[in-house]
Amino acid sequence: MTSTSRRSVLRSSACAAGLALAGCLERVTDRSSDGDDEVPENAGEPGTPAERITVTASSEPYPEFDPQVVHVVVGGTVEWLVETGRHDITAYHEDGHEPHRSPNGVADWGSPRLTGVGSEYEKTFDQEGVYDYVDTQQVCTSHEVAGNIGRVVVGWPDPDDEPAMADPQPDMPSQAARAIEMFNEQTRPVLEAGSDS
């Protein structure tokens, strides 16, 4: 190999290594300076809307959704995943399972029966509002009577305009009514503070 060709090879190698390093640094810099790629640790909790969140449904030691209250952005998706037992996700809606505790103008929604570990249902919420739902399955006892209900907060609605933010209706099972009261105590201050808090 002549000295000219050796120099050419070394120069080409150095250029290639420099370009590769620059590309790596650019990608790292983009990721760290952008900040949008990092999901907050508490995403999905009231006050920190997530784009996507999973709620588990279990029956042991009692029927339960976890977490019971989630917060998503408009267009966000909630996935319900069965860990134990059989469950369903049924909107509290005037056209289905009453009482009406869904945003006005949205259609009734819900899952089929979810049986077996790993069964899942997901819904994308395109309209801002507060959506209460219930597990209507009945095994040893009604899951609704046991208080297995949940809430999805979508965006930053005015709590005074949301049917779900009203006091529990008198005909609701007592455990479900207590859960609604707890949801309201947790949700109202967050919505009143708004997205700037």
Side-chain angles (χ1 to χ4, degrees):
M1 199 182 256
T2 66
S3 61
T4 308
S5 63
R6 217 176 293 134
R7 261 190 228 128
S8 296
V9 169
L10 288 173
R11 191 178 306 130
S12 296
S13 297
C15 286
L19 289 172
L21 180 60
C24 290
L25 289 175
E26 183 178 327
R27 274 182 253 132
V28 169
T29 304
D30 284 349
R31 239 184 264 133
S32 61
S33 66
D34 189 8
D36 290 341
D37 293 338
E38 291 187 32
V39 177
E41 192 174 304
N42 63 340
E45 292 178 9
T48 311
E51 290 185 18
R52 182 176 186 86
I53 191 163
T54 299
V55 174
T56 59
S58 62
S59 294
E60 297 170 9
Y62 46 82
E64 178 182 46
F65 292 120
D66 184 33
Q68 289 182 296
V69 179
V70 297
H71 196 169
V72 296
V73 298
V74 175
T77 299
V78 179
E79 173 193 45
W80 288 267
L81 179 64
V82 174
E83 288 188 335
T84 59
R86 65 177 189 240
H87 306 270
D88 66 31
I89 314 316
T90 300
Y92 275 120
H93 194 281
E94 62 194 352
D95 294 334
H97 189 83
E98 294 192 79
H100 187 76
R101 301 191 65 83
S102 295
N104 292 318
V106 301
D108 189 19
W109 60 277
S111 74
R113 178 183 289 178
L114 304 174
T115 58
V117 175
S119 298
E120 61 185 336
Y121 169 71
E122 71 176 37
K123 175 170 175 50
T124 298
F125 292 86
D126 293 322
Q127 182 175 321
E128 187 171 70
V130 179
Y131 298 73
D132 285 348
Y133 64 91
V134 61
D135 179 353
T136 64
Q137 293 301 299
Q138 186 158 341
V139 185
C140 297
T141 186
S142 159
H143 288 191
E144 182 176 23
V145 168
N148 193 22
I149 65 173
R151 171 172 287 177
V152 178
V153 178
V154 181
W156 296 94
D158 181 340
D160 294 329
D161 294 339
E162 296 300 315
M165 296 300 300
D167 289 336
Q169 286 82 348
D171 56 344
M172 291 186 84
S174 62
Q175 292 284 62
R178 275 196 281 281
I180 292 286
E181 289 169 352
M182 179 187 71
F183 296 172
N184 286 350
E185 288 171 9
Q186 186 179 8
T187 307
R188 180 170 289 281
V190 169
L191 292 180
E192 286 176 344
S195 61
D196 296 332
S197 60

